């Protein structure tokens, strides 16, 4: 049989108090968990930390990446090209969904309820999070996607066309000056998901390129605290 994939490396910000919820943040292509954590820390002048929420920044395993002419890169999945107008590389997306499911299950084994786990990310990380939540884990607390998009015929849309259950809420942010992932791709993703029953917001940042900024992370933090409120001690 196939060897079990190695557990994903991760950088973790522990909660200050009792751990009752978890947040998984997926980095953009070519980055690492540590890199994403450091980037956010630099923007906020401190870690994105919470009283009761553990923040997990996993690192994607290195794999050949077609947009870089097959050079190895830490990416969640492969792409034929960086465009919303081509087929998805579904094999690599599905295989990573298994690896990330193990990460979710680790939190559940630690006593965290599934509806107390949030998943999201930046750029490719947000795309990965949407596949993971809307295709395989519709009982998560919510999903966030920063400067992200789904391809026009995404498997996510196909899955939601057949869906009957209540879906996790989506928090989306996108800069209008993004030259790598066009704002219109993010906007189209938001409209499609809304039309398929997802409760989705889209926060627009004028003049922001393919990057994060402080206002955006502060907005994200408020949304996280709304979706994962502090629980009264049992």
């Amino acid at each position: 049989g196939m060897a079990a994939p190695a557990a994903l490396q991760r950088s973790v910000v522990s909660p200050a108090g009792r751990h009752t919820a978890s947040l998984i943040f997926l980095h953009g292509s070519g980055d690492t968990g540590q890199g994403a954590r450091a980037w956010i820390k630099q923007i906020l002048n401190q870690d994105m930390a919470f009283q009761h929420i553990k923040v997990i920044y996993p690192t994607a395993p290195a794999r050949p990446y077609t947009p870089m002419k097959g050079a190895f890169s830490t990416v969640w999945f492969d792409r034929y090209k960086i465009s919303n107008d081509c087929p998805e590389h579904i094999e690599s997306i599905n295989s990573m969904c298994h690896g990330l499911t193990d990460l979710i299950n680790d939190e559940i084994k630690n006593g965290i309820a599934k509806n107390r786990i949030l998943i999201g990310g930046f750029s490719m990380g947000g795309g990965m999070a949407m596949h993971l939540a809307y295709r395989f884990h519709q009982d998560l607390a919510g999903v966030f996607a920063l400067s992200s998009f789904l391809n026009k015929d995404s498997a996510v849309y196909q899955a939601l066309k057949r869906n009957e259950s209540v879906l996790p809420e989506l928090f989306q942010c996108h800069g209008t000056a993004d030259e790598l992932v066009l704002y219109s791709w993010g906007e189209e993703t938001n409209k499609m998901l809304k039309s398929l029953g997802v409760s989705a917001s889209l926060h627009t940042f004028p003049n922001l390129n393919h990057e994060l900024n402080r206002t955006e992370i502060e907005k994200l933090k408020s949304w996280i605290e709304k979706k994962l409120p502090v629980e009264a001690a049992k």
Side-chain angles (χ1 to χ4, degrees):
M2 296 262 293
L8 296 168
Q9 284 188 303
R10 55 199 86 166
S11 180
V12 174
V13 182
S14 296
R18 196 168 67 97
H19 175 208
T20 66
S22 295
L23 168 70
I24 299 169
F25 188 106
L26 305 178
H27 63 73
S29 57
D31 202 355
T32 61
Q34 256 172 320
R37 175 183 174 177
W39 189 22
I40 288 174
K41 190 172 181 173
Q42 182 198 338
I43 294 169
L44 293 177
N45 293 317
Q46 59 184 19
D47 266 314
M48 181 167 71
F50 302 89
Q51 191 60 32
H52 59 297
I53 307 167
K54 173 181 176 184
V55 184
I56 306 161
Y57 296 94
T59 296
R63 57 155 299 129
Y65 187 46
T66 302
M68 285 173 50
K69 300 186 168 60
F72 271 67
S73 187
T74 48
V75 289
W76 298 108
F77 49 86
D78 199 7
R79 287 184 170 136
Y80 296 105
K81 54 178 194 247
I82 301 173
S83 162
N84 71 343
D85 208 7
C86 64
E88 287 174 322
H89 195 284
I90 202 71
E91 301 81 5
S92 61
I93 292 173
N94 290 351
S95 120
M96 188 50 64
C97 283
H98 292 295
L100 288 165
T101 294
D102 291 344
L103 188 59
I104 291 170
N105 288 338
D106 283 349
E107 292 310 295
I108 294 168
K109 282 180 202 131
N110 286 332
I112 304 303
K114 192 105 175 262
N115 65 0
R116 296 281 293 166
I117 301 173
L118 267 181
I119 184 147
F122 174 72
S123 193
M124 173 185 266
M128 186 74 234
M130 290 187 277
H131 274 272
L132 190 64
Y134 293 121
R135 292 176 58 212
F136 299 102
H137 298 283
Q138 297 180 343
D139 43 359
L140 288 168
V143 189
F144 60 92
L146 316 173
S147 312
S148 307
F149 73 102
L150 291 170
N151 294 31
K152 282 193 195 300
D153 290 319
S154 178
V156 173
Y157 303 149
Q158 308 313 318
L160 294 183
K161 279 173 186 159
R162 302 186 293 273
N163 175 66
E164 297 300 315
S165 61
V166 177
L167 297 161
E169 183 186 326
L170 174 68
F171 177 93
Q172 225 182 319
C173 295
H174 216 115
T176 58
D178 196 326
E179 286 163 11
L180 185 69
V181 174
L182 303 185
Y183 177 77
S184 60
W185 302 354
E187 194 177 36
E188 191 178 306
T189 299
N190 190 272
K191 282 189 179 134
M192 273 300 292
L193 289 171
K194 269 191 178 142
S195 76
L196 293 164
V198 176
S199 165
S201 58
L202 175 58
H203 303 269
T204 302
F205 293 84
N207 311 320
L208 186 70
N209 203 317
H210 195 64
E211 59 195 337
L212 296 171
N213 73 12
R214 186 167 185 144
T215 316
E216 180 181 13
I217 297 169
E218 299 286 8
K219 265 199 164 117
L220 173 64
K221 266 196 88 166
S222 309
W223 180 77
I224 290 165
E225 285 165 341
K226 192 183 86 196
K227 299 309 289 181
L228 301 174
V230 176
E231 281 184 336
K234 301 278 185 294

